Amino acid sequence: MPNQNKTPRKNNIEISLSDKTTLYQSNRVTHSRSSGLTLLQARIFVCLIKELQEAIIASLNGKNWQQMQLFQSENAGMIRVGIPLKLIAKPRQYPEVYHSAIQLAKASILLPSTISQEYFSVATLFPKVDLPKRIKGASIMYVELYKATANLLIEIDKTGNGKPGYFTKYLFEVAMRARNKYTYKIYMIISSWRNKGLFKITLDDFKRQLGIGTSEYQQYKEFKKRVLIPVQKELENKSDVWFAFTESRLEKKVVSLQFRIIAPAPEKISTERIDHIKYLLTTHFAFTPTHIKAIEPYYKVLADNFIYQEILQKLQDLNIKMLHHPSRTTINNKASYALASLLNFLTSLK
């Protein structure tokens, strides 16, 4: 049986996600594999994707980004991208950022094929990193990429009807705010599955996507303690999406994980959904203000599109079930029974 993992919601600081920067990237990039990146290297990579956005948006709109002359380089086979260092770290850390970029430049990245389950390698991310320059008062670090590599990072794969469609959308600020080096990658992965609501992946494949070698976290309990739970806590209520996960075991060994994606709705829709649920509970299940108060900690989860639909179905099933059990139709028992059932479901999502 799958084991549902829960994360306490106490002491989470909610932040405003308005006026944030939306990034787009190919799912090829989202599900790429590489050796484990440091936190600084992860931020450099995210900033690179940010600086490539104009070209990525062009690809997303079916345009040829190579004709836009966005990037200038002395070498015709290269493109040159400037990365503002203030986006990555404080000035005292700029030398460390530069040396991290040098190491990142040598990283071998494996990108998934669009026609098979195979991965192919990009030997170097960018073969040249210039020393930071002061430009209009800002420190800019220029990196150069082969055009073939840039193409793999920029191009959005086309769907069956020939339109670009396999891409991930996420918030730049959430990825950059990460304190755990695995957060940015898991955040990208769950963002890519946002519209589906859930996905299942083998434990080995998931670890490979995170850049975790076979000698690391060989015991699942360590992987869960050091990676899954910290990332889950870091994203929960502090991101536009977070997750719950269940474990599937084979002979007591965890072999795969199923992720449920939780994506709160915009405030107006969220309020409407919560009010509708409260109306149903009050009208059909005799909920009092005390009963309603018990579900207040779960309001943000209730507003998630997939969970909201499940709650409506659950309330409908519960109402039918209670109609066939007259012993549970007194006002007090009906409300208490419905509340217990609802709380069990909501708690399982944490």
Side-chain angles (χ1 to χ4, degrees):
M1 292 291 291
N3 177 34
Q4 182 73 50
N5 289 273
K6 306 172 184 179
T7 301
R9 293 185 177 273
K10 295 180 181 179
N11 300 323
N12 273 338
I13 301 173
E14 296 189 24
I15 64 168
S16 172
L17 295 175
S18 60
D19 301 322
K20 300 303 180 186
T21 305
T22 300
L23 296 187
Y24 296 86
Q25 70 186 27
S26 167
N27 283 350
R28 180 195 314 112
V29 175
T30 300
H31 300 288
S32 63
R33 299 174 182 172
S34 64
S35 55
L37 304 185
T38 67
L39 195 56
L40 276 180
Q41 288 171 341
R43 290 175 180 170
I44 293 168
F45 183 79
V46 173
C47 285
L48 174 64
I49 295 298
K50 181 178 184 295
E51 297 307 316
L52 293 174
Q53 281 303 289
E54 192 172 352
I56 292 172
I57 297 299
S59 177
L60 195 56
N61 290 325
K63 298 178 180 178
N64 184 354
W65 66 269
Q66 295 192 43
Q67 294 180 353
M68 299 177 67
Q69 296 183 341
L70 297 173
F71 317 101
Q72 295 184 8
S73 173
E74 295 178 357
N75 189 328
M78 311 282 284
I79 70 167
R80 191 166 183 254
V81 183
I83 300 176
L85 295 186
K86 69 178 182 180
L87 296 177
I88 300 169
K90 301 293 184 182
R92 67 178 182 275
Q93 295 176 290
Y94 287 177
E96 186 180 353
V97 173
Y98 173 72
H99 290 295
S100 292
I102 293 292
Q103 295 303 313
L104 179 60
K106 304 173 185 177
S108 177
I109 297 179
L110 297 174
L111 296 168
S113 168
T114 59
I115 59 175
S116 71
Q117 298 297 315
E118 298 298 320
Y119 278 70
F120 54 90
S121 175
V122 176
T124 55
L125 184 57
F126 31 80
K128 184 179 179 182
V129 183
D130 290 342
L131 284 168
K133 295 178 173 61
R134 294 289 292 179
I135 300 177
K136 295 182 180 179
S139 294
I140 308 294
M141 179 178 65
Y142 283 93
V143 301
E144 293 199 10
L145 295 80
Y146 291 114
K147 282 191 174 179
T149 301
N151 190 68
L152 292 173
L153 296 178
I154 291 169
E155 287 292 329
I156 304 296
D157 291 327
K158 294 180 174 57
T159 61
N161 59 12
K163 295 182 179 180
Y166 297 106
F167 63 91
T168 302
K169 181 172 73 171
Y170 61 96
L171 297 180
F172 172 73
E173 289 80 4
V174 172
M176 293 296 287
R177 195 175 53 244
R179 292 294 178 265
N180 184 297
K181 68 177 184 177
Y182 299 110
T183 297
Y184 92 100
K185 184 68 171 183
I186 293 179
Y187 172 55
M188 289 177 180
I189 293 171
I190 64 172
S191 294
S192 75
W193 290 96
R194 180 175 186 151
N195 291 335
K196 297 290 185 182
L198 56 84
F199 70 98
K200 188 173 183 178
I201 187 170
T202 67
L203 179 59
D204 288 343
D205 192 38
F206 188 59
K207 289 169 71 175
R208 281 193 290 266
Q209 285 196 29
L210 299 183
I212 295 176
T214 55
S215 62
E216 300 177 88
Y217 304 120
Q218 293 182 336
Q219 297 296 319
Y220 172 73
K221 64 180 181 180
E222 282 299 307
F223 173 72
K224 179 177 177 180
K225 179 181 178 181
R226 304 295 182 187
V227 179
L228 286 177
I229 298 302
V231 172
Q232 188 181 49
K233 289 181 178 179
E234 189 164 31
L235 291 176
E236 188 178 42
N237 273 339
K238 303 174 188 177
S239 170
D240 56 323
V241 289
W242 59 87
F243 63 91
F245 64 96
T246 56
E247 301 151 346
S248 294
R249 300 175 182 271
L250 181 62
E251 298 180 352
K252 298 184 178 181
K253 181 180 180 181
V254 175
V255 294
S256 64
L257 299 167
Q258 179 167 289
F259 289 84
R260 177 190 287 272
I261 314 305
I262 301 172
E267 185 175 354
K268 181 180 179 180
I269 296 176
S270 175
T271 300
E272 291 175 351
R273 289 175 176 175
I274 291 168
D275 286 346
H276 183 54
I277 290 173
K278 288 161 65 176
Y279 169 78
L280 293 176
L281 292 172
T282 302
T283 305
H284 298 287
F285 298 93
F287 267 41
T288 67
T290 301
H291 293 105
I292 294 295
K293 189 173 181 62
I295 66 170
E296 284 183 2
Y298 303 91
Y299 277 178
K300 198 153 190 169
V301 175
L302 284 170
D304 171 83
N305 185 53
F306 292 97
I307 295 174
Y308 173 69
Q309 299 300 329
E310 286 190 44
I311 290 292
L312 294 183
Q313 184 62 53
K314 187 169 186 65
L315 291 180
Q316 181 179 341
D317 294 343
L318 193 59
N319 194 40
I320 294 173
K321 181 178 180 180
M322 295 175 80
L323 287 174
H324 289 83
H325 292 78
S327 63
R328 292 179 177 146
T329 57
T330 63
I331 291 179
N332 288 336
N333 283 348
K334 188 172 187 177
S336 298
Y337 181 78
L339 177 61
S341 178
L342 191 58
L343 288 177
N344 283 338
F345 173 72
L346 292 171
T347 302
S348 73
L349 298 176
K350 284 185 172 184

